[in-house]
Amino acid sequence: MQNIEPSTKGQFKDFLKTVISFTGDLSSLTCPAFFLNGLSLLEYGTYWGDHPTCFTAISQATEAQERMLAVTRWFMSTLWGSYASRCTHGLNEKKPYNPILGEQFKCKLGEVACVCEQVCHHPPISAFYLQDDKAGVSLNGHCGQKSKFKGTSIKIEQVGRAVLHVKDKNEQFLIDFPDLMIRGVLTGAAFIELSGVCTIMSTSGAKAVIEFVPKPWFSGDYHHIKGTISHQGKDWYSLSGRWSHQSFHTPLQPVQGEKTLLFDAEAAPMADRCTPPYEEQLEIDSHRLWGKVSDALKVKDFQAANVEKTKIEEWQRKVRKERESSSTAWEPSLFTFIHDKQTHSSYVQNTVQLKSSMVGKPYLDDGAWVYNKSLHLTD
């Protein structure tokens, strides 16, 4: 436990006992301040825009298989921020804040605008939206997590989907999420390993399948991938490498070519999040809402952080009771849930059709949270 603050080792051991013996979804556990990472889980939606140039470049490819390659490059560019940035360079993975119902986060990443909203609390679901107006590329997505202790690790199943839309091609891509294994929890040096298979399926018929390869028991490295990009019955590219470092693609048509760099996670810095000035943020904006907790965590004042965190939790319990007593139903202000059965929409029809081609048993939900001002809804 050399990575644990000496003053919190006793609390850490008690917390581990609670985690190990807990039989429900771990996301419902109240987490002590020393085990918080200072970010709201809602902000994780911004990782999809970590590399805006990769997002924008999707619309520039002319052939379907080339666009799928561009989408795969962008997808790979989202993984380091999402799953490695908080537990490398001497850092350890910790728990984010549980977003409150209706919490929002807005920012710009280069030319890409990002909007996030906590659309459900039981179960917790975060909706996110990114768009580049000039490129005509937009992304609607939502994610919930089911977590449980398994062996010496925490397994997290990510429930939801992301739907990418390229306006000038009128093309959609359905994306599912990898499973997560949080390793090193018992030693206080937690990090994330991805597992399972991710599929990216396009209305053009192009398809990318990415398998996250487990580390061998006695040797080898973490975070390897393998996969293919196919279209019209042909495999156009093979995929290899490590998502946390360098990933590669190898052309297979018309003949096999040389392995080429797809994305270098170590060389490409994440984009800055440009948020509205503090005075312009709403009370429910993540940085304003959790600001005092984060300030206390930065100086390792865990007692003050717990006090401020408790204030937010008690405020939310009061709001929930008031809502229940007045029989007032809460509705998100930025996103709307569109059920897959609402087939009057070609956008929904396309997504439902793509679901049938996904590999494995992805947790795709029975509908999608869509931003009310999504680019695909405009003329």
Side-chain angles (χ1 to χ4, degrees):
M1 295 188 185
Q2 65 273 16
N3 298 293
I4 303 298
E5 289 288 324
S7 61
T8 63
K9 284 188 175 181
Q11 297 176 64
F12 178 73
K13 290 179 180 179
D14 291 339
F15 180 61
L16 278 183
K17 292 177 184 177
T18 302
V19 171
I20 294 170
S21 61
F22 195 74
T23 57
D25 187 346
L26 292 175
S27 64
S28 61
L29 275 179
T30 298
C31 183
F34 68 84
F35 207 66
L36 296 172
N37 68 12
L39 291 173
S40 172
L41 182 60
L42 185 65
E43 294 181 57
Y44 286 23
T46 66
Y47 291 129
W48 291 89
D50 270 347
H51 299 279
T53 55
C54 292
F55 188 71
T56 300
I58 293 169
S59 64
Q60 298 169 8
T62 56
E63 301 296 329
Q65 65 270 17
E66 295 301 320
R67 280 195 300 281
M68 182 56 79
L69 180 63
V71 170
T72 304
R73 177 180 291 108
W74 158 73
F75 177 74
M76 297 304 298
S77 81
T78 71
L79 298 180
W80 193 89
S82 297
Y83 306 117
S85 62
R86 301 176 304 276
C87 47
T88 55
H89 306 303
L91 300 175
N92 304 306
E93 186 66 40
K94 293 185 177 182
K95 190 177 183 300
Y97 307 136
N98 288 333
I100 69 168
L101 187 63
E103 183 177 333
Q104 298 179 13
F105 185 79
K106 310 178 192 73
C107 71
K108 289 273 288 186
L109 303 105
E111 296 299 318
V112 176
C114 180
V115 179
C116 308
E117 183 177 24
Q118 190 69 11
V119 293
C120 188
H121 193 63
H122 296 292
I125 298 173
S126 301
F128 52 89
Y129 176 76
L130 292 89
Q131 77 170 40
D132 185 320
D133 288 326
K134 294 179 181 177
V137 181
S138 59
L139 179 78
N140 279 284
H142 72 276
C143 185
Q145 296 183 335
K146 298 178 180 179
S147 52
K148 58 184 177 181
F149 203 82
K150 185 177 181 180
T152 59
S153 303
I154 295 175
K155 181 179 181 180
I156 300 177
E157 297 171 345
Q158 299 197 96
V159 181
R161 65 179 75 166
V163 180
L164 181 77
H165 187 263
V166 182
K167 191 171 185 180
D168 67 345
K169 304 293 190 301
N170 193 26
E171 185 175 7
Q172 285 173 232
F173 299 80
L174 178 62
I175 306 162
D176 60 5
F177 310 137
D179 287 339
L180 315 179
M181 294 297 295
I182 303 182
R183 309 289 192 188
V185 176
L186 298 182
T187 63
F191 67 96
I192 294 176
E193 182 181 18
L194 306 187
S195 64
V197 175
C198 277
T199 308
I200 307 174
M201 190 70 208
S202 168
T203 48
S204 72
K207 183 177 187 176
V209 179
I210 304 166
E211 179 183 350
F212 297 95
V213 182
K215 178 186 176 298
W217 276 100
F218 300 110
S219 63
D221 298 314
Y222 284 102
H223 311 321
H224 277 274
I225 63 157
K226 62 180 180 180
T228 57
I229 293 176
S230 58
H231 182 50
Q232 295 180 335
K234 296 180 180 180
D235 288 343
W236 288 86
Y237 300 97
S238 65
L239 305 171
S240 60
R242 299 173 67 194
W243 62 262
S244 57
H245 294 71
Q246 292 181 328
S247 53
F248 301 90
H249 68 285
T250 302
L252 302 176
Q253 301 291 339
V255 295
Q256 183 167 328
E258 293 185 3
K259 184 169 72 171
T260 305
L261 182 68
L262 179 67
F263 184 74
D264 190 338
E266 296 176 305
M270 295 163 55
D272 291 332
R273 276 77 171 147
C274 297
T275 57
Y278 182 84
E279 59 273 11
E280 295 180 14
Q281 295 181 23
L282 301 174
E283 187 180 27
I284 54 174
D285 280 359
S286 298
H287 284 186
R288 185 165 184 171
L289 174 68
W290 298 101
K292 292 182 179 180
V293 184
S294 299
D295 289 344
L297 290 178
K298 289 175 184 176
V299 296
K300 299 181 180 180
D301 188 344
F302 301 121
Q303 183 176 357
N306 276 322
V307 169
E308 296 299 333
K309 177 172 169 284
T310 300
K311 288 180 182 178
I312 295 171
E313 293 166 345
E314 290 178 347
W315 169 49
Q316 281 303 288
R317 281 192 282 270
K318 179 182 177 183
V319 169
R320 190 160 50 247
K321 287 181 180 179
E322 291 174 349
R323 195 179 293 130
E324 291 172 353
S325 63
S326 62
S327 299
T328 302
W330 180 86
E331 295 289 340
S333 61
L334 303 177
F335 290 81
T336 300
F337 187 77
I338 308 296
H339 200 282
D340 286 343
K341 293 181 179 179
Q342 298 182 24
T343 54
H344 62 278
S345 163
S346 60
Y347 181 84
V348 175
Q349 289 176 354
N350 289 338
T351 302
V352 172
Q353 185 177 7
L354 294 175
K355 282 177 67 177
S356 64
S357 301
M358 305 298 277
V359 174
K361 297 180 180 179
Y363 305 99
L364 290 171
D365 268 350
D366 55 2
W369 287 94
V370 177
Y371 183 51
N372 295 333
K373 298 179 181 179
S374 179
L375 198 60
H376 82 274
L377 297 174
T378 62
D379 295 330

